[in-house]
Each structure stands twice: as structure tokens, then as C-alpha cells.
Amino acid sequence: MEKTMDELFTPLRVGKMTLPNRLVMAPMTRSRSVDRSVNALTAEYYAQRATAGLIITEGTQPSVIGQGYIDTPGLHSAEQAAAWRGVTDAVHAAGGRIFVQLMHSGRVGHPSLYPDGALPVGPSAIATGGQMYTPHGMVDHPVPREMTREDIGWAVADFVSAARYAMDAGFDGVELHGANGYLIQQFLADGSNHRTDAYGGSVENRVRFADEVVRAVADAIGPERVGIRISPGSTSEGVSESDPAELYGTLIRTLAPYGLAYVHIMEFGHRAVTELIRSGWPGTLILNPHRTGTEPSVTPEAARDVLRDGLADAVSLASLWLANPDLPRRIRSGGPFNRPDPSTYFGGDHRGYTDYPTLSA
């Protein structure tokens, strides 16, 4: 097993960092930030997983209106940055590397999340058709308020501000969440973006918001500290894309000159688009591989295969990291692997969060 998994343990240069292995901890929402701020338990959770080549945190809102779920952390105040410093210090003390994922949820939200009871915002006044969990039960996502040009400018500025707070908090970099049906993908997707101005209509217009966010954040903190996550063809949160090959081919050509740390693909099938991006992207590519889009989770064997085939430079795994804080060691030894408990994925205390045993335990 160790011999066949050698590809996973080859060091990799990402930005100005050298990762000791190519096993990336994917961003996973855990909904344990009751006051929108992380805490000592969060620090313990991420530090336990510091043997990852790179940790990418749970989605973290860059503004109040960017929140899409209850009990998710923010990074839009000095107090939140100071709390995150406890996490990054713990990860670095354990020898790890950590990027924060900046996630503006856009139309995926609800007035109950915001102090002023405002509507969530999106590129167009089109609801997701889905629902959100609240302590009082499930509620429908409302029709969002269509963003004005001023709103778009503020959203870009919020990403920049959050990225600067991330540097204050000691993060090694930021990942911009352009996947899974959230704000950046809402602008990319023609199913959720019906605008008729410079941000809608043609593919070139629909990539404009993503381009402006990436360029602004890269200018603020350095492109080697910036990654972006995309999910071509995803239908998460009600988005739809009629032209994923053209759309993401254009996006990759637009971003290629910037010298970003990486592109991170969350695959929902559409392997041909992944291959297109691989051929056109000059930098590091991280892949969460789902060739058919129906695989329940990424296995160590699937991770090895995409590296062996040259489809990616590193592989992100999710539920395996959740349940196995010492995942690289377990992969080297061929297991055994702890099974995650889905009932503890979202919310709660240390159970199903920091109490999964290591092999040594």
C-alpha cells in the first residue's frame, strides 16, 4: 500500500509554500461558531489535522450579508480575526499550513440571519428554490434583492477586507469560494444571472465579477496567497450552467496570467471540463475528484489515481479528514479508517468534532 501511494507523499510547491504531501483537507462547514466567531475547540479541531499538506477552512463569510447558514464564522471584524489567530497559531505550532475559505453565500441566505432583517442579495432577483435550516424549522430561501453596481463594488471590497483580516489572523492564504452555488458562481451561471449590464449575458460578462474579486484580493495580499474553488456544471443551491466548457475555459484563460497559488475544482462529473481546465491552467491544480458526480466521497485510491494520471497536482478529501485527524498516517499504513458520524456534522460540541481517535490512541 505504501509503495502504491507514493504519489500522495511527494512534496509540492504552492505559492511560496512547500507542502509535505498532496493530501489537502477540503473546506467543510461544521456550524459550531455560535457567535459567528471561532473558539478554542475550533483551534483544537484544525490543529489535530495539521499533517495535511494544506488545510482549507470551512466557508467563512466576508461580510454580514455574506452569511448563508446559522453558526458559521465570519472574518469581517478585528475581533473575529483575533479569534482566528488562535486557530492559525495552533495549526502552525503543529507544523501545518492553513488557508481560510472566504465564502459569500449571495442569494443562499435568509433575513433571520441578518441583524437588520435584510433580504439576501444576488446577481438577479431569482430564488434558489431551496430551503435553509433554522432553530425554528426549515424556511424557504426568499427572492434575493438584485445587486446594484454599488452593491457589486461593496462585495468586492468585502472580499478584500476579509483577505486583509486573514493576513492579520496569520493565515497562509485565502481561498475564494467560487463554487457550490454561492455568490461568485451565481454570477458565472446563466441560470441565476439574468442581468443585462456588464455583469450578465455573455460569458465574458458573467466572469467579470469573479475576475474583479480575484484581481482585487491578489493585489491586496499577493497572488501567491490566493486560490479559487470552482465547480463546473454544479447544480448546488439551484444554479445551472448551460455552457460549462465555454464558461470555465474563459474563466481559466482570464485568471491564468495572475500567478495564483492554485485553482481548486470540486468535480460534479464533467470530467471533460476538468481535463480542459487542466490543459489551460499554468499553475497548481487541486481536485476533489468525482468523475461521475455520484461518488459519495473521495477514497485514497481515487486520490492516487488522479495524481498518477496527471489530472491534478494535489487532491482534496473531506469526510475522511473529518473522521481521521491523522489521515496521512492511516493512508500510509493502509488503514483502518474511522467512519464519520453524519449526525454530528453540523452543530453540537466536541462529539464528532475533536474526539475521533488517532491510530496511536
Side-chain angles (χ1 to χ4, degrees):
M1 174 66 74
E2 182 172 348
K3 183 176 180 181
T4 60
M5 289 293 173
D6 280 348
E7 295 92 342
L8 298 175
F9 296 95
T10 303
L12 175 66
R13 189 75 171 171
V14 175
K16 293 184 177 179
M17 302 184 301
T18 298
L19 311 188
N21 61 63
R22 301 181 182 224
L23 294 162
V24 174
M25 179 176 168
M28 291 175 283
T29 295
R30 303 307 308 273
S31 298
R32 283 170 166 83
S33 299
V34 175
D35 57 356
R36 299 180 176 85
S37 188
V38 295
N39 52 43
L41 196 63
T42 319
E44 180 182 1
Y45 168 72
Y46 284 115
Q48 286 176 342
R49 290 153 179 81
T51 55
L54 175 65
I55 293 171
I56 306 170
T57 74
E58 61 213 274
T60 301
Q61 54 261 15
S63 61
V64 172
I65 199 66
Q67 184 172 1
Y69 303 97
I70 64 170
D71 299 339
T72 54
L75 194 48
H76 47 85
S77 73
E79 293 76 18
Q80 290 169 335
W84 273 114
R85 170 63 78 167
V87 175
T88 61
D89 284 350
V91 170
H92 291 148
R97 295 137 301 277
I98 183 167
F99 273 40
V100 62
Q101 187 189 70
L102 299 180
M103 171 181 148
H104 191 308
S105 294
R107 67 180 187 169
V108 181
H110 191 270
S112 63
L113 292 170
Y114 317 124
D116 61 357
L119 285 170
V121 297
S124 299
I126 302 171
T128 69
Q131 294 185 311
M132 187 192 84
Y133 170 79
T134 75
H136 308 292
M138 301 297 290
V139 295
D140 293 338
H141 288 143
V143 175
R145 180 174 63 80
E146 182 172 312
M147 295 171 73
T148 65
R149 294 289 288 267
E150 184 179 25
D151 292 326
I152 291 171
W154 279 115
V156 174
D158 287 339
F159 275 108
V160 170
S161 177
R164 289 183 170 136
Y165 276 128
M167 298 299 98
D168 294 341
F171 282 102
D172 298 300
V174 305
E175 177 178 281
L176 302 171
H177 199 344
N180 298 86
Y182 301 118
L183 184 63
I184 292 176
Q185 191 181 17
Q186 289 164 26
F187 272 91
L188 293 171
D190 52 353
S192 51
N193 181 351
H194 290 187
R195 301 177 72 94
T196 58
D197 62 2
Y199 292 89
S202 69
V203 167
E204 290 74 17
N205 281 358
R206 283 185 278 126
V207 305
R208 191 182 308 277
F209 178 69
D211 180 37
E212 290 182 355
V213 172
V214 170
R215 281 192 290 115
V217 172
D219 286 347
I221 66 172
E224 72 281 359
R225 294 186 177 93
V226 181
I228 184 170
R229 193 183 209 207
I230 56 176
S231 55
S234 165
T235 57
S236 298
E237 304 296 350
V239 298
S240 60
E241 297 166 342
S242 64
D243 50 0
E246 181 185 5
L247 174 61
Y248 288 94
T250 301
L251 178 65
I252 290 301
R253 287 192 298 274
T254 302
L255 303 183
Y258 299 158
L260 302 181
Y262 63 79
V263 163
H264 180 190
I265 301 175
M266 172 63 195
E267 220 177 22
F268 285 85
H270 299 277
R271 178 56 59 90
V273 180
T274 300
E275 293 169 345
L276 174 69
I277 293 169
R278 178 59 165 171
S279 66
W281 179 246
T284 299
L285 184 69
I286 301 172
L287 179 64
N288 189 267
H290 293 82
R291 177 185 289 274
T292 68
T294 61
E295 298 90 338
S297 61
V298 181
T299 65
E301 292 75 21
R304 176 207 60 203
D305 289 347
V306 297
L307 295 185
R308 182 196 59 204
D309 296 342
L311 191 60
D313 300 298
V315 180
S316 65
L317 301 97
S319 59
L320 274 177
W321 273 116
L322 185 153
N324 297 277
D326 55 346
L327 183 59
R329 182 180 177 189
R330 289 177 182 269
I331 290 176
R332 277 196 179 277
S333 64
F337 298 99
N338 299 322
R339 291 187 176 182
D341 176 7
S343 70
T344 62
Y345 281 178
F346 307 109
D349 52 20
H350 70 286
R351 288 168 290 187
Y353 192 52
T354 60
D355 63 347
Y356 285 106
T358 62
L359 281 175
S360 58

